[in-house]
Amino acid sequence: MSEVLIMPAEEKTLTYKQTEKIAYENNKLHKRLCRLVGQAIGDFNMIEDGDKVMVCLSGGKDSYGLLDILLTLRERAPINFDIIAVNLDQKQPNFPAHVLPEYLTKLGVPFHIENQDTYSIVKRVIPEGKTTCSLCSRLRRGILYRVADELGATKIALGHHRDDILETFFLNMFFGGKLKGMPAKLQSDDGKHIVIRPLAYVKEVDMERYAEVKGFPIIPCDLCGSQENLQRKQIKAMLRDWEKKTPGRVENVFAALSTVAPSHLMDRKLFDFVGLQATGVASVDGDIAFDEEPCSTGSSNIISFQSLD
Ligand code: SF4
C-alpha cells in the first residue's frame, strides 16, 4: 500500500491533463495526511513497538480514513504493531450491518463487530425530544473499553480530527467556562487504556476529500434520529467563517493549544501565584501586558487582540 494514486470516479470523463492534475493533487493529499498522522503519532508517542491498536470504526469518513492511513503507515514504520478494526453495531434502525464486514474482509484487515442494542436503551431512558448523544456516547465508551480488554488491545484509536478538537475547545470555553480541549492522547476513564487520536493535526476538509477520492462506503450518522448538537453547529459555523474571512486565525488558535503559558493564565492549580516571589532574574519571554501592541511579536501570522471580533 505504498504510493497510492487515488482516482475519483469522475476522472473517466476528463482530459488527460486534467486527470494528471487530479492524480497529482490526490497523491499530495495522501502524502500530507500520512505526514500529519505520522507527526502526531511521533509527537505524542501514540504507538509503540508491539502495540495492538484497536481502530474504532463507525462507518463515517473520519474513521475510514484513519484506518486507511494507519495501514499505510504500518507498512513504512520502523516498529511492529497490529491493527484490529472494531465496529459497535448499536442496532439503530436501518443500520446496514453488511457494509463494514464486507469492506474489511475485502481489505484483509482483522476486525470485530460488537452487537449491542444501545439504541433501545437510549430511547427508553431519554424522554422524547431530549438530546440522546451524551448517554449514547457513555454507553458506547464503556462497551469499547470492555471490547479492548477482551481483544487484548493496548491502544484505542479514535477518528477525531483537528476541527473536532477546536470545536470541543470552544464548546468548553463558551458553554462550560473551561479551558479544555480534546486530547490527542489520554488515559481512558476506567484507567486501563490509552486512547489516541492520530488525526489530531488533520483538517476536516482533508478527511472529506480523502473519503471522496477513496470512495469509502459511508454509513449515514443520523440513523438514530438525533439532531446535531446546536451549540456544536454554532461553533462549527464560527470556525468556518473565521477560516474564510481571516485566514490563519484558526491555525493560530490550534497552535495556541500546544503553547500554553500557565503563569499568564489564572488557574491557581497550574501555577503558584500565591507563593510567587521576585527572583531578581529577568525573563526573556516576560509580561508584555504594558506594551502598546500586545501581540506585536514580529510574526505576521499573529493576530492582534483588536482584530478579534
Ligand atoms: S448521533 Fe445518535 S448514535 Fe451518535 S452519539 Fe448521538 S445518539 Fe448516539
Side-chain angles (χ1 to χ4, degrees), residues 49-104:
D49 197 39
D51 263 343
K52 184 173 190 177
V53 183
M54 175 176 125
V55 180
C56 299
L57 212 59
S58 63
K61 65 179 189 333
D62 305 324
S63 55
Y64 273 123
L66 171 65
L67 176 65
D68 189 276
I69 295 158
L70 283 181
L71 288 170
T72 305
L73 290 180
R74 187 177 59 164
E75 289 201 351
R76 304 172 183 172
I79 55 165
N80 290 314
F81 63 94
D82 287 330
I83 289 178
I84 181 160
V86 168
N87 168 253
L88 171 60
D89 180 346
Q90 298 178 267
K91 301 297 166 202
Q92 294 161 359
N94 303 320
F95 181 76
H98 64 285
V99 171
L100 283 166
E102 279 173 19
Y103 174 79
L104 294 165

Side-chain angles (χ1 to χ4, degrees), residues 74-199:
R74 187 177 59 164
E75 289 201 351
R76 304 172 183 172
I79 55 165
N80 290 314
F81 63 94
D82 287 330
I83 289 178
I84 181 160
V86 168
N87 168 253
L88 171 60
D89 180 346
Q90 298 178 267
K91 301 297 166 202
Q92 294 161 359
N94 303 320
F95 181 76
H98 64 285
V99 171
L100 283 166
E102 279 173 19
Y103 174 79
L104 294 165
T105 306
K106 223 163 115 194
L107 210 59
V109 178
F111 69 90
H112 169 79
I113 306 289
E114 180 72 15
N115 291 290
Q116 290 280 324
D117 187 357
T118 59
Y119 174 79
S120 301
I121 301 176
V122 165
K123 283 281 159 196
R124 202 175 56 238
V125 174
I126 307 282
E128 194 64 38
K130 295 270 182 229
T131 314
T132 48
C133 294
S134 149
L135 174 64
C136 177
S137 318
R138 229 174 29 247
L139 291 171
R140 188 169 47 219
R141 210 158 46 223
I143 294 167
L144 288 173
Y145 291 164
R146 173 180 57 73
V147 171
D149 260 351
E150 289 168 3
L151 296 174
T154 49
K155 300 279 163 64
I156 302 174
L158 303 177
H160 297 110
H161 44 65
R162 186 204 71 162
D163 297 56
D164 289 321
I165 292 174
L166 280 168
E167 284 162 24
T168 306
F169 173 70
F170 282 110
L171 272 171
N172 280 328
M173 185 157 49
F174 290 178
F175 303 104
K178 273 184 202 153
L179 215 57
K180 181 181 168 188
M182 184 186 250
K185 181 180 179 184
L186 75 150
Q187 180 184 271
S188 59
D189 305 349
D190 62 3
K192 290 189 196 160
H193 304 95
I194 293 294
V195 177
I196 56 172
R197 295 191 165 98
L199 300 182

